Amino acid sequence: MIGYYVHHHGRGHLERARAIAAQLHDELTVLSSLERPAEWDGGTWIRLDTDRADHARASAPDAGGALHWAPLHHPGLRVRMAQIAEWVSGAEPAALVCDVSVEVACLARLMGAPVVSIALPGVRDDAPHLLGYRLSQAIVAPWPRALANSDWSSRWSGKTQAVGAFSRFDRRARPTPASKRSEPTVVLLLGAGGSEIVQQDLDDAVAATPGWSWRVFGFEHWIEDPWLELCDATVIVTHAGQNCIAEVAAARTPAIVIPQPRPFAEQLSTARVLRRERLAIVRESWPPPADWPALLEAAARLGGERWASWSDGHGAERAAAVIECVARRDAPQVG
């Protein structure tokens, strides 16, 4: 039995779990405060308690800098941790994947369950991250080793398995191109984790690019499966969240990447790697209207074939193999 903790923020943790679950041979139980998705078929899903108290009123949430979220006298945290502890005690998992919570990693390891942590990009040298990675038997990094993030600490090189980016779209067949469009198309892909981009930004960009047709997946517009639109786009404009970048890479579509503010410089760190390797056009803030025509033309010229170095379609398989090595008490091969 393998346990898998899925954090509730955004959609990236869930999509990553979905991709890995499809490649695991062992029985799987997911623990998350997210509702079980209607289409989930990756194993048992245990719905954990949510935070039922006001975050602003939480007392000592970082435990003196040792943890990220462990407030005193917090009913949601107390019940959630009890649920996890009860499951670990009864199921005796061979491994518990943590994506991502230092507190859950600590609880699992204190109960004798081997922990596999999913790495996040950015500067993760604070005390809670160092503790979580130190407790982990292995760390799965969803980026290619050859394009490693320079912010990732070398102290974990002995247990970090860089498997490459992966998403729900890996190795999905590209659609047959439609009849030639009368004008090039931009897809704006916003995530569920929050964005500084506002409607006026979009309106200004659209007005500045009359030769381009824009489609928006964000704000009040959302579809569950944008694969056809991603493949059909001339250029994708997106943030630098791991899941969005992995989906764009799977589509092999030229992109403009605009990282959004996140703790630990998570998206900025990824965007800088993409710019360094010339995988996408990167701007660290939303461009002024006059810049958009040249940016879209530059992205189209850059093309999307270089995305193959970011995601080769086998990252989830390699991640599952690392997890199952830990569950079998083997030493995962670093690579």
Side-chain angles (χ1 to χ4, degrees):
M1 169 65 73
I2 291 173
Y4 198 128
Y5 174 80
V6 177
H7 198 277
H8 64 275
H9 186 70
R11 295 178 61 90
H13 304 290
L14 171 60
E15 295 302 340
R16 189 154 45 219
R18 195 193 308 271
I20 291 175
Q23 302 299 327
L24 286 171
H25 299 95
D26 295 55
E27 185 179 355
L28 180 69
T29 294
V30 168
L31 304 109
S32 179
S33 56
L34 289 170
E35 289 188 20
R36 174 180 175 142
E39 69 281 10
W40 175 259
D41 59 0
T44 303
W45 188 286
I46 295 177
R47 178 80 187 277
L48 301 176
D49 200 63
T50 58
D51 286 340
R52 294 177 287 168
D54 184 353
H55 279 224
R57 298 182 180 180
S59 175
D62 67 351
L67 299 169
H68 286 146
W69 180 250
L72 296 171
H73 312 298
H74 191 291
L77 175 71
R78 182 168 56 250
V79 173
R80 185 164 59 252
M81 288 302 193
Q83 289 174 300
I84 296 171
E86 181 180 14
W87 180 81
V88 171
S89 179
E92 300 181 4
L96 188 139
V97 183
C98 196
D99 186 10
V100 62
S101 164
V102 171
E103 295 75 28
V104 171
C106 290
L107 175 64
R109 185 62 185 84
L110 284 168
M111 296 185 69
V115 173
V116 178
S117 287
I118 305 295
L120 296 176
V123 182
R124 307 279 171 175
D125 59 359
D126 59 303
H129 275 109
L130 295 182
L131 174 60
Y133 293 144
R134 186 174 184 180
L135 293 176
S136 301
Q137 296 296 111
I139 303 169
V140 172
W143 55 75
R145 180 167 294 278
L147 307 183
N149 187 316
S150 60
D151 292 325
W152 186 248
S153 176
S154 61
R155 79 179 73 192
W156 311 120
S157 58
K159 63 171 69 175
T160 300
Q161 316 296 314
V163 300
F166 54 90
S167 78
R168 56 183 165 159
F169 297 142
D170 286 354
R171 292 185 288 168
R172 186 185 292 196
R174 290 179 60 87
T176 302
S179 58
K180 190 171 181 62
R181 289 180 174 274
S182 60
E183 58 185 359
T185 303
V186 184
V187 166
L188 175 61
L189 188 63
L190 302 178
S195 173
E196 288 193 333
I197 300 168
V198 298
Q199 185 66 47
Q200 189 61 54
D201 293 328
L202 173 61
D203 293 344
D204 291 343
V206 172
T209 54
W212 293 75
S213 172
W214 286 69
R215 295 201 64 186
V216 180
F217 300 126
F219 300 122
E220 70 276 14
H221 309 289
W222 189 264
I223 60 173
E224 286 300 317
D225 189 341
W227 176 242
L228 297 181
E229 288 77 8
L230 296 183
C231 292
D232 195 41
T234 308
V235 174
I236 297 170
V237 178
T238 186
H239 58 85
Q242 284 185 293
N243 188 60
C244 270
I245 295 300
E247 292 186 352
V248 173
R252 303 290 193 262
T253 301
I256 298 171
V257 175
I258 305 171
Q260 297 299 293
R262 292 293 186 271
F264 312 103
E266 177 181 323
Q267 290 200 13
L268 184 60
S269 185
T270 295
R272 287 172 175 170
V273 174
L274 300 180
R275 179 166 54 196
R276 183 191 75 200
E277 301 297 329
R278 298 191 69 247
L279 300 185
I281 302 297
V282 174
R283 292 290 293 264
E284 294 188 6
S285 60
W286 187 263
D291 289 2
W292 276 105
L295 284 171
L296 292 174
E297 293 294 342
R301 288 194 303 271
L302 179 63
E305 293 309 309
R306 294 173 68 90
W307 282 121
S309 65
W310 189 255
S311 171
D312 65 0
H314 297 279
E317 291 177 33
R318 288 189 286 266
V322 172
I323 295 164
E324 290 180 335
C325 276
V326 171
R328 292 194 306 266
R329 307 185 188 184
D330 295 339
Q333 296 297 310
V334 176

